[in-house]
Amino acid sequence: MKLTIESMTYGADGLAHADNGKAVFVQGAVAGDTVEAEVVQDGKSFMRARTTEILEPSPNRIQPPCTFVGICGGCSWGNLSRTAQLAAKEQNLRSTLERIGKFAPELADELVQPICHTKDDWGYRNKIELEPTVVNGRVRLGMHGVDPSKIVTVDMCPLFDKRFPKALKSVVGALNYLSGSHDLGLERVGIRASRRTKALEVALWTPTGSFPRSQVSRVLADAAHPTSIVRVMSKGEKKARRVSKVEMLAGEGSWTENIAEDQ
């Protein structure tokens, strides 16, 4: 099926329309692309499709600095220029106000102000969350893929704060090393950074119970030099786990950020 992508939707897909007028949500394409796509779901009111070939690339399509764009789910619009991304977000907001909120177009124009955005196209995100998997008895950490059933192992993220370019690799390496001799019981790992306060926190989500606190603190401190290491303990059923306690393992025990200053 040959399609021309008209706009970006909420999430990763581009929006096109089939010859019969049915909306098609297309994975792997950006606004302005003309693509060959394979239908993966044909519903009553819409279809979902996957790009198999880019026939004519959009003038707003870019070559991103991350090789995992389109595989990792962390930057689903990474192939689209920043200017086009901002325009798409603004248009999505206007569309939501008009279609769902029933606002008149004139009122939507009045309400929607220019987007406040960072100066940098990349290297501005202050948070990374990693999901653990066990491979050959060792913990591997990665990000959820575009396919949510898959975990993509990475050791860098160009979107993460550029003041801490080695933080992700250091944390992943340290926890992989520790997993060789300890059962950490990791459920999730968070890394937060601030270019303004220079704070760097590593948060480890685990069940309640015994934990090699001193070894984890020492190895993470030597590898990543964080200002804070905390353990977030949770309990309950997997789909409804709740935080029972937050334990400071090293450093300040919290992460700080300044807001409403330079973007």
Side-chain angles (χ1 to χ4, degrees):
M1 176 185 291
K2 183 178 178 180
L3 297 167
T4 297
I5 310 303
E6 303 159 16
S7 62
M8 301 303 296
T9 65
Y10 287 107
D13 298 336
L15 175 65
H17 284 84
D19 291 341
N20 61 5
K22 188 181 291 188
V24 187
F25 297 94
V26 187
Q27 179 184 338
V30 301
D33 280 344
T34 298
V35 304
E36 189 68 30
E38 175 188 19
V39 176
V40 295
Q41 179 185 348
D42 191 354
K44 292 182 178 180
S45 59
F46 67 90
M47 293 187 287
R48 295 192 181 278
R50 177 180 60 86
T51 299
T52 57
E53 183 183 357
I54 299 173
L55 302 174
E56 296 179 26
S58 166
N60 292 315
R61 176 177 279 275
I62 64 167
Q63 182 62 45
C66 182
T67 58
F68 293 102
V69 170
I71 302 172
C72 171
C75 49
S76 55
W77 289 9
N79 286 321
L80 192 62
S81 73
R82 187 67 179 285
T83 300
Q85 288 186 33
L86 295 173
K89 290 178 180 179
E90 184 173 316
Q91 181 54 41
N92 280 344
L93 177 56
R94 292 175 188 273
S95 177
T96 299
L97 289 172
E98 294 174 19
R99 290 186 301 102
I100 300 175
K102 306 302 181 183
F103 285 78
E106 298 78 12
L107 182 54
D109 288 340
E110 182 180 339
L111 290 172
V112 177
Q113 300 298 307
I115 296 174
C116 293
H117 58 87
T118 61
K119 296 176 182 177
D120 301 314
D121 291 358
W122 296 79
Y124 61 83
R125 187 170 290 182
N126 64 13
K127 179 184 179 184
I128 291 177
E129 286 198 359
L130 302 169
E131 184 80 10
T133 57
V134 178
V135 180
N136 297 326
R138 299 290 289 269
V139 170
R140 296 288 186 270
L141 293 164
M143 299 183 184
H144 287 283
V146 172
D147 178 348
S149 68
K150 296 181 179 179
I151 302 299
V152 182
T153 55
V154 298
D155 61 6
M156 64 171 293
C157 178
L159 265 182
F160 191 58
D161 197 312
K162 61 184 179 182
R163 285 184 179 269
F164 303 92
K166 298 180 180 179
L168 174 57
K169 185 175 182 179
S170 298
V171 170
V172 168
L175 293 174
N176 178 255
Y177 167 77
L178 285 161
S179 73
S181 55
H182 298 86
D183 181 7
L184 303 179
L186 294 174
E187 297 175 337
R188 182 165 38 125
V189 175
I191 308 173
R192 281 191 178 275
S194 170
R195 69 177 61 186
R196 301 180 183 92
T197 66
K198 299 180 175 59
L200 177 67
E201 179 175 82
V202 179
L204 310 174
W205 273 260
T206 76
T208 57
S210 61
F211 188 77
R213 296 171 179 81
S214 60
Q215 296 95 326
V216 170
S217 301
R218 183 179 68 253
V219 172
L220 277 174
D222 289 344
H225 308 290
T227 56
S228 174
I229 305 173
V230 298
R231 177 190 177 200
V232 183
M233 288 175 278
S234 59
K235 60 183 179 180
E237 296 295 328
K238 185 175 181 180
K239 291 185 178 181
R241 295 186 71 79
R242 62 185 185 277
V243 174
S244 63
K245 183 180 179 181
V246 178
E247 179 180 48
M248 182 181 72
L249 300 181
E252 299 175 2
S254 63
W255 174 82
T256 57
E257 177 64 289
N258 289 337
I259 59 175
E261 295 185 357
D262 290 340
Q263 303 296 310

